[in-house]
Amino acid sequence: MGMPRAGSTWLHRELNFRGDCKLAKNKESFYFQGFLGDRETRETYWQNYADSVNDNAIALLGDITPSNGYATLDQLLEYSKKLSELGLIGKPVLTLRDPINQVVSLTQFQKSMPMGLRSKQQISEWVYTVINKTAIHNQEHLNAELIMKHGISAFNSGLSMEFWPTWEKTITNYLTVFGEVYIQFFEEMFNEEENRSLQNWLGIEYEPMNFTRKIFSFPSPNQLSLEEKKKVFSMYPKMKDNYDYAVNVWGQEKIDSIWWNPYK
């Protein structure tokens, strides 16, 4: 399900390269945000799953949309009911990323997006084109002011972190409905051990993934100075909420080993 800017596009492509996984044609279905809001399209969405339920060659059906984290508890309950009616079991996957790097990556993504591309459908189609043709390379240096500027643009287009629920809320909702959630960290996902664990959780036979293939190639968020990072961190209260939640769940030592510590 995501979170946004945490490797989901790469994962979508890698799984779709396999012959035994069938994911939604377009990454970013926006099922819970109304992109598939009309009855006919929703029926088509579920029919795609129904058509593959009895296909023994398909081991995994799925929908990778980072903004699925937006889903309310009621939406997830309804979704789980639909899965059960088809004889399917939901196995949510959540990837967390250093909050500061996540919003920097979102800014870089916004700057790479063609002008005028703002609707959910346009974004979905653009991402699909990128996945299947070429990678996006944006090497422009960012600073705190530029991130703030594009943060406003992202807010107006509905892509801002301010629209995202806190990680605690997302995880709680998914645990309530599905009982289990596979949680991984973006900083640790590009290695064999982590991907063996993920594929085991998904119930598919292990196949190596291509860790060198990049979809969106951006400079490291570490290009920001310490002062700029602190300035960006202060922009979004949810950054603090998410960082504090991660430390509370996984411990300061673990988080310090993979993320920047905003309190040092």
Side-chain angles (χ1 to χ4, degrees), residues 127-181:
V127 170
Y128 181 69
T129 299
V130 171
I131 291 172
N132 286 280
K133 290 187 177 180
T134 185
I136 293 295
H137 301 273
N138 185 333
Q139 298 300 318
E140 181 174 355
H141 180 83
L142 297 181
N143 55 38
E145 285 69 28
L146 196 57
I147 291 171
M148 289 180 181
K149 174 184 175 182
H150 282 271
I152 295 174
S153 172
F155 183 88
N156 292 332
S157 67
L159 291 175
S160 170
M161 181 178 284
E162 289 304 307
F163 285 97
W164 306 347
T166 62
W167 292 347
E168 182 176 13
K169 180 66 173 178
T170 293
I171 293 170
T172 299
N173 283 346
Y174 275 83
L175 284 174
T176 299
V177 175
F178 296 101
E180 293 181 290
V181 178

Side-chain angles (χ1 to χ4, degrees), residues 1 14 16 24 45 62 103 127 134 142 147 169 177-178 200-201 204 214 236-237:
M1 54 181 170
E14 289 301 307
N16 261 348
Y45 176 93
V103 77
V127 170
T134 185
L142 297 181
I147 291 171
K169 180 66 173 178
V177 175
F178 296 101
N200 180 63
W201 159 262
I204 55 180
K214 295 182 179 180
Y236 299 106

